[in-house]
Amino acid sequence: MGKAVRLDKFLADSGAGTRTDVKKLIQKGMVQVNGEKVKKPELKVDPENDVVELGGERLGARAEFMYYLLHKPAGYVSATEDTREKTVLELVPKDSRRNLFPVGRLDKDTEGLLLITDDGQLAHQLLSPKKHVDKTYFAVTEGKVVPEDIEKIREGVDIGDEELTLPGKLEILKTWGVQMPSASVKSTESEAKWRSEILLTIHEGRFHQVKRMMEALGKTVIYLKRMSMGPLVLPEDFPKGQCRELTKEELAALKEGR
């Protein structure tokens, strides 16, 4: 036997409308419980065993929390509301009964994986530096990233805060020189403008952290994309601007802390 709840609360939690809306629907005789028309909003129903129908359509109990995976494009701010900018919540299916929020922030010009939820406890676990949840970013930098930088990131760098960053992991994917315009003379190595592609894994979420870490090494991030957060990985074929609910497997992995 499940936990009994008021019929009007069950209907509201199932997405049928506000408490006021569903009371009107009940009074109009549009709701059936176990095949019988009911007109009492205070009637107790068992969500696990009773069959509740609205206009002939069966309703199920609403999930306690919602979890969305968003491929954030550039141009959106990681906020619940903003008077001047477009927010990431504009890309999420509208659900006025939810207090959804982004887990952590990606800068307006940063792309990639963003988790949207109303589960505050899970968000805290993912963002707490003490939990050491990996967050991996792909970045393109102006400036040549060299093997010595890998050790500096591993040791933690000074980005102007009271403490060094926690040890991170840096992987150099590619480095190349961009030839600068010159009057009929081929650029020398010293005249070339170097760029690098890297993967950087960190455990914190300080303000502009990836950009500031690379600046501390003398490089400038010109493109940034978050690829993963803990076990949650951005699918390669998932288009920018798209949003979907987490799969059962993704959610289980997040909650298990794998």
Side-chain angles (χ1 to χ4, degrees), residues 62-210:
R62 189 166 177 252
E64 183 178 8
F65 299 112
M66 293 298 296
Y67 306 88
Y68 292 102
L69 184 152
L70 171 67
H71 187 167
K72 178 190 174 299
Y76 289 79
V77 296
S78 298
T80 56
E81 58 183 1
D82 193 288
T83 57
R84 296 177 298 176
E85 306 284 357
K86 296 179 293 185
T87 73
V88 291
L89 288 189
E90 295 178 33
L91 300 171
V92 180
K94 288 182 170 54
D95 190 337
S96 59
R97 302 174 312 284
R98 293 287 187 183
N99 295 315
L100 295 169
F101 58 88
V103 179
R105 291 179 176 272
L106 293 180
D107 296 340
K108 181 180 176 181
D109 61 347
T110 300
E111 300 178 350
L113 183 149
L114 192 60
L115 175 64
I116 309 287
T117 186
D118 51 353
D119 187 343
Q121 184 175 359
L122 178 65
H124 174 73
Q125 292 174 348
L126 291 172
L127 297 175
S128 173
K130 295 179 181 179
K131 298 293 184 179
H132 287 255
V133 175
D134 287 350
K135 292 178 278 288
T136 298
Y137 297 81
F138 169 80
V140 179
T141 69
E142 280 190 351
K144 190 175 185 180
V145 181
V146 294
E148 290 79 1
D149 294 325
I150 296 176
E151 183 60 30
K152 292 176 182 177
I153 292 293
R154 186 182 295 125
E155 294 174 350
V157 297
D158 183 358
I159 60 173
D161 294 342
E162 293 183 2
E163 297 180 352
L164 298 180
T165 61
L166 290 177
K169 179 183 178 183
L170 174 64
E171 181 181 350
I172 304 171
L173 301 177
K174 181 181 178 182
T175 298
W176 69 99
V178 180
Q179 186 170 317
M180 304 302 291
S182 178
S184 71
V185 179
K186 188 175 182 180
S187 296
T188 65
E189 180 170 325
S190 61
E191 294 171 330
K193 191 172 186 179
W194 289 93
R195 290 189 177 177
S196 299
E197 290 182 359
I198 63 168
L199 286 177
L200 178 60
T201 300
I202 60 176
H203 315 295
E204 304 169 282
R206 303 192 201 181
F207 185 68
H208 294 326
Q209 183 169 345
V210 172

Side-chain angles (χ1 to χ4, degrees), residues 32-37 51 53:
Q32 289 185 321
V33 177
N34 298 325
E36 295 185 7
K37 190 178 297 184
V51 176
E53 295 174 292

